[in-house]
């Protein structure tokens, strides 16, 4: 599906369309205008970056629009890309977002994580290991889900909007027990020895720092802890 319209001052068609690709909606915007030089492609989504050329001097802006757009797209589990044949040859921007689905209410693993992209990555890794999951973007939502069903495992971020992860874990241990629930912490927070000891006393199976490959590592830890239950079930 696509549509086209003209944008002054130079005119020319701008084509906007969308297709479904591998469970994702891909939206594209194509123009035939100023184009983007090759040396600017890698910096285009950086904050305050603007292509420096005489034909853009009349275009207003602080160079934040694409950086903000990238953050929004990635927060929803998508990606954004750009391609251009060069100056004067237009450009095509594409971004993807997951197809909307009915939120799950329970699963083997409860993911408490405010980063949508990382949460979707964890879901994929858990699914590959035969585990179902449900995602909560904050502790308050997670608490409502726990009231419905206690999960077999939980992957928890410590830096959350509202109630923080460590406080949430203490509350859940007190209110719901979670004695048989494997808890894996995945966070960018720098923990001091006292905080690490408190998490150990709370029965946390592992504390992982966010970075490349950490979703796979967290999923492996969870899967190993649940193998006996999965075999019996």
């Amino acid at each position: 599906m696509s549509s086209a319209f003209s944008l002054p001052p130079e005119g020319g068609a701008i084509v906007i369309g969308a297709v479904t690709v591998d469970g994702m909606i891909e939206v594209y915007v194509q123009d035939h205008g100023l184009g983007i030089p090759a040396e600017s492609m890698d910096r285009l989504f950086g904050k305050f970056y603007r292509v420096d050329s005489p034909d853009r001097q009349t275009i207003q802006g602080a160079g934040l629009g694409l950086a903000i757009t990238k953050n929004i797209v990635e927060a929803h589990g998508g990606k954004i890309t750009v391609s251009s044949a060069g100056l004067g040859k237009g450009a095509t921007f594409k971004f993807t977002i997951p197809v909307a689905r009915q939120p799950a209410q329970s699963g083997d693993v409860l993911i408490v994580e405010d980063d949508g992209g990382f949460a979707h990555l964890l879901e994929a890794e858990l699914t590959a290991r035969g585990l179902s999951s449900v995602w909560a973007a904050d502790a308050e939502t997670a608490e409502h889900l726990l009231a419905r069903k206690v999960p077999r495992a939980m992957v928890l971020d410590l830096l959350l909007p509202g109630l923080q992860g460590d406080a949430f874990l203490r509350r859940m241990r007190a209110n719901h027990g979670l004695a048989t629930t494997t808890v894996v912490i995945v966070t960018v927070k720098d923990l001091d020895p006292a905080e690490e000891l408190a998490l150990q006393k709370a029965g946390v199976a592992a504390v992982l720092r966010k970075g490349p490959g950490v979703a796979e590592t967290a999923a492996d830890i969870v899967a190993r802890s649940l193998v006996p239950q999965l075999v019996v079930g």
Side-chain angles (χ1 to χ4, degrees), residues 149-215:
K149 181 181 178 180
V150 176
R152 295 175 177 179
M154 179 165 60
V155 180
L156 173 65
D157 187 5
L158 294 182
L159 301 177
L160 297 168
L163 184 67
Q164 296 297 285
D166 51 354
F168 165 75
L169 180 59
R170 291 194 298 270
R171 180 188 294 184
M172 293 306 96
R173 289 295 196 198
N175 296 343
H176 297 278
L178 303 182
T180 61
T181 299
T182 299
V183 178
V184 176
I185 301 295
V186 180
T187 185
V188 297
K189 183 179 181 181
D190 293 321
L191 301 175
D192 59 39
E195 290 174 313
E196 292 184 359
L197 180 60
L199 291 173
Q200 292 175 8
K201 289 182 176 180
V204 170
V207 179
L208 306 176
R209 187 170 182 82
K210 279 185 179 177
V214 71

